[in-house]
Amino acid sequence: MSDKKAKLTVGDQTWEFPIRSGTIGPDVIDIGTLYKETGMFTYDPGFTSTASCESEITYIDGDVGTLLYRGYPIDQLAEHGDFLETCYLLLYGHLPTAEEKKDFDTRVTRHTMVHEQMSKFYTGYRRDSHPMAVMVGIVGALSAFYHDSTDIADPHQRMVASLRMIAKMPTMAAMAYKYSIGQPFVYPRNDLSYAGNFLHMCFSVPAEPYEVNPVLARAMDRIFILHADHEQNASTSTVRLAGSSGANPFGCIAAGIACLWGPAHGGANEAALNMLYEIGTPDRVAEYVAKAKDKNDPFRLMGFGHRVYKNYDPRAKIMQQTCHEVLHELGIENDPTLEVALELEKIALNDEYFIEKKLYPNIDFYSGITLRALGFPAEMFTVLFALARSVGWIAQWKEMVEDPSQRIGRPRQLFSGAPLRDYVDIKNR
């Protein structure tokens, strides 16, 4: 802990609070004793200036466009690694050796099947149910089937729960998709890669053989890496808050899925794709850019800007490259939606209005096009996000449970309701 102190002065009283420094990033003022010493709370809607925990997992510098998993830049991991290697890194804190990687891959692969009785859960939903609604219930129900990994005080059970979560999410997500289109469930195959197996479970049918395209599988794997974790965002904070009560890990992840479902969070790529559909053709981009600049026009550009990034989202460049690879492999390089996206990006990156407001394309700008090209309907986009983010959630949950300084979450409030008043029986008025 630093010897630096922060002073808070209210009227003629002054208090000192310790300043803590991380390895990188802004210092924090430790206000843990603020209420005890001053009788006051801080007021920070959205927690935009509040560090809710200490973490060693993910670091973001939005001003320069940096995203690090355990110190490694996201572009290096996406280019040279695979998703399960990233999972190992997030969970254990270091990249695996060849032997550790082989063992980890095997352990995850052997957990991909779900209890057969769980298939009956899906039939309880309407066929037109949103897949995210299904995922919230199915993931929460895991705690009813795997009692041997819900004791959060047992390190072994915590790790088993972590492996199960990573392994079973693709199977459950694929089952949600298959159920929504009326096709039979497809069992996982242990001879396929993590991403290849997921594509197989989503798109193979009993009537004919299915060959996993390595280019598409690599693209899917890269999408998973890019979405694996993103510091203390809304859904991750939800997982940590739920976990602070001692809730089982499956229930905590279900809470995270529910939060991710919101259009301001995981649903942003679907909104960005719908915006590109609305624009329609490249020659209409200038018209819509003008609409975006007009404060009186309800149109808003989706897929631009970010709550954290004030520079180019580092994931967006990788996603753009991946998008081109997928479209080229499928022979649809002249996709009109991509042409609109490229023209929109070109204007936005050179227009003073966007530069001044730092409205750079984010990952959602390209991911929707890529996922659509892979064959997924828009309703599945957030499910895929949840699948990838599960490892980040479980790593953050595990870190929180093992942190001796963490207590049950209990945010404070600025109360603006009615003051104390006497009860009067309405009947006697």
Side-chain angles (χ1 to χ4, degrees):
M1 183 179 292
S2 169
D3 292 331
K4 294 184 293 184
K5 301 286 185 180
K7 290 185 178 181
L8 171 66
T9 300
V10 180
D12 58 356
Q13 286 189 287
T14 299
W15 300 270
E16 288 190 344
F17 298 95
I19 294 177
R20 301 182 60 182
S21 300
T23 50
I24 48 177
D27 291 345
V28 300
I29 302 170
D30 188 342
I31 58 169
T33 60
L34 178 70
Y35 178 60
K36 179 181 178 181
E37 294 188 31
T38 70
M40 293 182 286
F41 302 139
T42 57
Y43 181 65
D44 183 20
F47 307 111
T48 56
S49 299
T50 300
S52 61
C53 64
E54 181 177 346
S55 180
E56 300 178 355
I57 299 172
T58 302
Y59 173 74
I60 298 171
D61 186 333
D63 291 332
V64 298
T66 297
L67 171 59
L68 308 177
Y69 290 170
R70 300 284 191 178
Y72 293 96
I74 186 64
D75 56 323
Q76 293 182 16
L77 293 170
E79 182 179 355
H80 302 295
D82 64 30
F83 180 64
L84 286 183
E85 180 183 61
T86 301
C87 291
Y88 188 100
L89 173 66
L90 292 173
L91 281 176
Y92 294 100
H94 62 88
L95 288 172
T97 64
E99 186 174 337
E100 288 171 334
K101 176 69 162 58
K102 182 180 179 181
D103 175 66
F104 184 75
D105 288 3
T106 300
R107 286 190 290 154
V108 170
T109 300
R110 299 296 173 182
H111 276 297
T112 51
M113 291 185 66
V114 297
H115 195 289
E116 189 66 16
Q117 194 174 345
M118 288 198 72
S119 63
K120 295 181 173 60
F121 276 59
Y122 289 85
T123 61
Y125 292 92
R126 287 171 45 138
R127 288 281 184 184
D128 59 354
S129 298
H130 196 290
M132 282 295 280
V134 176
M135 292 300 291
V136 170
I138 292 294
V139 172
L142 286 173
S143 57
F145 287 87
Y146 301 104
H147 304 291
D148 60 341
S149 56
T150 56
D151 182 358
I152 66 171
D154 184 341
H156 175 72
Q157 290 199 31
R158 289 199 298 269
M159 188 50 65
V160 171
S162 301
L163 290 171
R164 281 178 170 156
M165 198 72 255
I166 296 168
K168 298 182 190 305
M169 275 297 287
T171 307
M172 294 184 293
M175 291 172 74
Y177 172 62
K178 285 295 196 183
Y179 183 72
S180 70
I181 60 176
Q183 291 185 2
F185 298 143
V186 176
Y187 288 107
R189 277 175 45 184
N190 292 348
D191 62 316
L192 296 176
S193 68
Y194 188 89
N197 185 41
F198 176 64
L199 292 176
H200 167 260
M201 289 189 290
C202 285
F203 300 121
S204 67
V205 293
E208 59 187 44
Y210 176 83
E211 293 294 330
V212 177
N213 184 313
V215 175
L216 304 188
R218 176 59 180 146
M220 191 79 258
D221 192 79
R222 193 177 290 160
I223 290 171
F224 290 160
I225 293 173
L226 296 177
H227 289 88
D229 197 48
H230 210 236
E231 214 191 71
Q232 305 307 315
N233 53 77
S235 57
T236 298
S237 298
T238 298
V239 171
R240 278 183 172 263
L241 188 60
S244 73
S245 71
N248 73 78
F250 305 116
C252 294
I253 301 304
I257 293 172
C259 180
L260 185 70
W261 194 359
H265 194 1
N269 52 7
E270 183 178 346
L273 185 62
N274 289 334
M275 175 200 68
L276 296 176
Y277 288 153
E278 180 181 345
I279 296 174
T281 55
D283 60 291
R284 300 188 66 196
V285 169
E287 171 194 345
Y288 276 84
V289 167
K291 287 165 65 70
K293 294 178 181 180
D294 185 353
K295 293 181 179 179
N296 297 318
D297 194 300
F299 175 78
R300 293 291 179 268
L301 282 179
M302 304 302 296
F304 282 79
H306 196 276
R307 174 75 169 270
V308 175
Y309 295 110
K310 305 308 176 188
N311 202 315
Y312 203 102
D313 183 342
R315 303 168 300 170
K317 295 179 180 179
I318 307 166
M319 197 68 251
Q320 182 192 41
Q321 175 189 343
T322 302
C323 182
H324 281 289
E325 291 174 359
V326 168
L327 295 176
H328 176 74
E329 179 66 19
L330 296 174
I332 49 177
E333 301 100 314
N334 297 323
D335 182 278
T337 309
L338 179 61
E339 291 179 355
V340 172
L342 291 175
E343 181 64 21
L344 185 56
E345 180 193 43
K346 179 182 176 182
I347 291 178
L349 292 178
N350 294 280
D351 190 293
E352 289 185 7
Y353 174 86
F354 292 92
I355 296 172
E356 180 184 348
K357 294 184 175 297
K358 298 182 178 180
L359 294 174
Y360 299 97
N362 59 40
I363 187 172
D364 302 311
F365 188 66
Y366 289 106
S367 62
I369 305 170
T370 309
L371 293 174
R372 187 196 66 168
L374 288 171
F376 293 102
E379 294 77 23
M380 278 294 293
F381 290 178
T382 317
V383 174
L384 301 181
F385 194 158
L387 191 170
R389 185 56 57 83
S390 293
V391 62
W393 287 334
I394 206 73
Q396 296 273 354
W397 168 83
K398 183 173 174 291
E399 182 181 65
M400 181 217 61
V401 171
E402 295 171 356
D403 183 352
S405 68
Q406 282 295 308
R407 297 181 295 170
I408 184 171
R410 181 59 170 87
R412 299 294 189 167
Q413 66 177 16
L414 174 63
F415 181 70
S416 57
L420 178 66
R421 47 190 178 181
D422 291 329
Y423 172 80
V424 178
D425 192 338
I426 297 177
K427 292 182 293 184
N428 296 325
R429 287 184 181 180

